[in-house]
Amino acid sequence: MIMLLGRLSQLVFRRSFCVSQKLNGSMGIDGNTILAESLKKQGVEYVFGIVGIPVIETAMAFQSAGLKYIGMRNEQAACYAAQATGYLTGKPGVCLVVSGPGLLHCIGGMANAQVNCWPLVVIAGSCPEDHEAIGGFQEWPQVDSSRMYCKYAARPPSPRLIPQHVEKAVRLASAGRPGVSYLDMPGTLLMAEVDEGKVPLDYYSADTVKLAHPDPALVDQAAELLSKAERPLIIVGKGAAYGKAEEAIRKLVENTKLPFLPTPMGKGVVADESEYCVSTARTQALLKADVILLLGARMNWMLHFGQPPRYAPDVKIIQVEISPEEFHNSKKSELAVHSDVRPFTEALVKRLSERKFSLQPQNNSWWQGLKQKQKANTEFVEAQASSTAVPLNYYTVFKTVQQGIPKDSIIVSEGANTMDIGRGLLLNNQPRHRLDAGTFGTMGVGPGFAIAAAMWCRDYAPGKRVICVEGDSAFGFSGMEIETMFRYKLPVIIIIVNNNGIYNGFDKEVMADIQSGGDVTQCTPPTALSGEVRYEKMMELFGETGHLCRTVEDIKEAIKTATAVTDKPSIINILIDPQANRKPQTFNWLTESKL
């Protein structure tokens, strides 16, 4: 401990001395300061990370430059937080980690951001250049290892060129389809000093990339297809949320009265409570639609590839994409439009208005069929959610949570049934207010996402709350980030829906019987976790009290207490029926290959 404090004192002294000397014009500028100032000039605001050799001074330089540094407990969680910041703000968050294992722990987060199309810059310290190839500390081919998960990966060859590579990393992470940039920073580069006058700290900040506008002829064709369709449908994806297209899409839906379906993180672009949202008739809407307008979504596994049996064989897709590489990915689109979502939608609204096109739900057979299906499905869910029998089921839990949490909270969610069932009952009426496992289906993202969202709320939406809804298995991936929430005074409300397992578990008595049969590694079901784990007691590590809930009244009281807390996190551990499940599905949720 004394050695550590001594090391930190030396670092603080060195940092202060360098800054003082720099201000007096008597010495050069080091790589750490160049990196920090370059990020600041490119508009970066948040850095999440874990420090160690050789990036301790780097983090201190970031703070000196005015960047907000949030120290995490796990590199993956830091990477998840940085990318969620990128999604919420439109400007890449930065993840700062140490060399070798530090970077490798980030790989899952980098892949998640790349697949999810979220802007992220990862910066890792690396082995000093004069130690390479001779067994240096934590030596690893970091640039090469990162290329598969990035749009851009590089090591600046000298301190003088750091600003150029920072500009390029930030620009490439943000432009076009967003993704990941990686910058490799050897210890020798970070500590090297050069003449400040030879460092282009003002390396250009190009004008904001202008939105790509659609070919007017293609907008006309889209208007023609929609106005002639018998069963048109709009699908709204998270790309529309990231592109801040909500105003245009809401106007499109309200003017035309077209039914729409949001993807999980497309929720809130148009309010879930809109009368034109047909999420409760999702299967029928996809299966019966004859023309689908795809706005900021991809025809991947989440939308069943646009193929039978989930869709009509002759369905026509209008695909609006910022990335033409995505055109006709799993199904040939009837019309492929290269454009940002917002300008396309604005142009389409104008064309359809000129045509005076609008469906009338009360007189339209397509709408009537959807309404009937919505009614039947809603009645089933309401029946399930009305049960107060103990142990509780998912539907009752989520209905109670929805009624108790503050309006327009940001909802973070992960887990198998927890996330899937919750997205139908936990409503979003504002865009970019839902963060979940996303396109890559990554577990462990929840606490990192919640920390990023809470930091954003603190700075840009004071008073707004973050509700982190976790399955018990998912919480186990990154649960120690609760300490990070305490350290930074983030009032995240963590709700753990505890079914003792992955998908399903067993109650304690049944589990004891199962494990009494011999070798526990042979007889313990792979999906089972320990029964009734008291996750809420983690609050006692910080001198606080968590909430254990078994009944509806327990949940109501816990949420009421938690929402009154504004300077620290809360944990609500809800024990449910280990065998509780979702509504029976017409199709397997994951479309299987027929080959």
Side-chain angles (χ1 to χ4, degrees), residues 42 44 90-92 119-121 151-152 163-181 203-209 242:
Q42 294 302 323
V44 169
K91 178 65 73 172
L120 167 70
V121 174
K151 294 175 69 177
Y152 177 67
Q164 174 182 336
H165 285 276
V166 167
E167 186 280 331
K168 190 171 183 180
V170 172
R171 175 163 45 87
L172 266 62
S174 307
R177 173 178 287 181
V180 185
S181 292
Y203 193 85
Y204 74 85
S205 292
D207 292 337
T208 303
V209 176
Y242 178 78

Side-chain angles (χ1 to χ4, degrees), residues 68-391:
K68 296 177 181 178
Y69 178 81
I70 300 93
M72 305 285 283
R73 297 303 301 267
N74 176 280
E75 287 94 352
Q76 276 194 1
C79 204
Y80 297 143
Q83 64 195 256
T85 289
Y87 174 68
L88 291 169
T89 66
K91 178 65 73 172
V94 169
C95 179
L96 176 69
V97 295
V98 301
S99 49
L103 174 65
L104 291 173
H105 289 169
C106 276
I107 293 296
M110 293 165 72
N112 188 71
Q114 188 75 352
V115 173
N116 240 15
C117 307
W118 285 2
L120 167 70
V121 174
V122 174
I123 299 173
S126 61
C127 170
E129 290 164 293
D130 55 337
H131 290 182
E132 290 182 336
I134 58 173
F137 175 65
Q138 295 186 332
E139 180 183 355
W140 189 255
Q142 296 180 187
V143 175
D144 289 341
S145 296
S146 300
R147 291 194 197 282
M148 187 181 297
Y149 312 98
C150 296
K151 294 175 69 177
Y152 177 67
R155 171 191 288 184
S158 73
R160 188 177 63 81
L161 294 176
I162 288 174
Q164 174 182 336
H165 285 276
V166 167
E167 186 280 331
K168 190 171 183 180
V170 172
R171 175 163 45 87
L172 266 62
S174 307
R177 173 178 287 181
V180 185
S181 292
Y182 171 68
L183 292 177
D184 195 62
M185 294 287 167
T188 41
L189 182 69
L190 292 170
M191 298 303 293
E193 294 181 355
V194 295
D195 184 344
E196 183 177 1
K198 295 181 180 180
V199 179
L201 285 174
D202 284 320
Y203 193 85
Y204 74 85
S205 292
D207 292 337
T208 303
V209 176
K210 290 184 170 35
L211 296 180
H213 283 249
D215 181 338
L218 297 181
V219 178
D220 289 337
Q221 290 180 47
E224 179 80 3
L225 283 168
L226 286 169
S227 59
K228 289 187 174 180
E230 294 182 4
R231 298 178 301 280
L233 177 69
I234 300 172
I235 296 179
V236 181
K238 72 173 178 290
Y242 178 78
K244 295 180 171 56
E246 55 268 17
E247 184 177 341
I249 295 177
R250 289 179 179 189
K251 190 171 183 180
L252 172 66
V253 170
E254 290 164 4
N255 286 3
T256 63
K257 298 178 173 54
L258 288 173
F260 77 92
L261 277 175
T263 65
M265 275 187 278
K267 284 162 57 69
V269 172
V270 184
D272 281 346
E273 293 181 312
S274 166
E275 62 183 305
Y276 307 115
C277 180
V278 292
S279 291
T280 51
R282 183 180 190 272
T283 296
Q284 181 157 319
L286 295 178
L287 182 60
K288 300 295 185 181
D290 60 352
V291 174
I292 293 176
L293 173 61
L294 202 62
L295 297 175
R298 291 174 282 173
M299 280 295 181
N300 54 19
W301 69 272
M302 297 186 79
L303 288 174
H304 318 291
F305 313 109
Q307 297 186 15
R310 304 300 296 260
Y311 294 76
D314 57 351
V315 63
K316 296 177 180 178
I317 306 294
I318 303 169
Q319 185 181 16
V320 182
E321 256 292 338
I322 188 58
S323 177
E325 293 86 349
E326 189 66 28
F327 287 156
H328 319 297
N329 179 51
S330 57
K331 177 184 177 64
K332 185 178 184 300
S333 297
E334 183 74 14
L335 185 64
V337 184
H338 183 209
S339 175
D340 277 281
V341 171
R342 193 198 319 165
F344 170 84
T345 307
E346 290 169 347
L348 182 63
V349 167
K350 183 177 180 181
R351 296 292 192 282
L352 291 174
S353 177
E354 291 167 353
R355 290 170 174 262
K356 296 183 170 46
F357 170 72
S358 177
L359 293 184
Q360 298 302 319
Q362 63 273 23
N363 301 320
N364 182 274
S365 60
W366 170 227
W367 259 118
Q368 293 307 306
L370 291 172
K371 292 289 186 185
Q372 290 174 11
K373 192 64 175 177
Q374 284 181 293
K375 183 174 183 293
N377 288 342
T378 299
E379 287 174 351
F380 173 88
V381 170
E382 278 297 321
Q384 294 294 307
S386 297
S387 171
T388 57
V390 176

Side-chain angles (χ1 to χ4, degrees), residues 2 83 150 174-175 190 266 306 358 403 429 449 480 486 510 537:
I2 293 173
Q83 64 195 256
C150 296
S174 307
L190 292 170
S358 177
Q403 291 173 341
N429 291 322
F449 283 3
M480 266 317 297
F486 266 100
V510 172
K537 286 185 173 289

Side-chain angles (χ1 to χ4, degrees), residues 479-497:
M480 266 317 297
E481 296 301 337
I482 184 74
E483 187 275 329
T484 308
M485 297 176 191
F486 266 100
R487 193 168 4 117
Y488 290 98
K489 306 182 186 303
L490 302 176
V492 176
I493 299 174
I494 300 172
I495 298 175
I496 302 170
V497 184

Side-chain angles (χ1 to χ4, degrees), residues 467-479:
I467 315 297
C468 184
V469 184
E470 301 274 301
D472 51 331
S473 171
F475 180 70
F477 284 76
S478 305

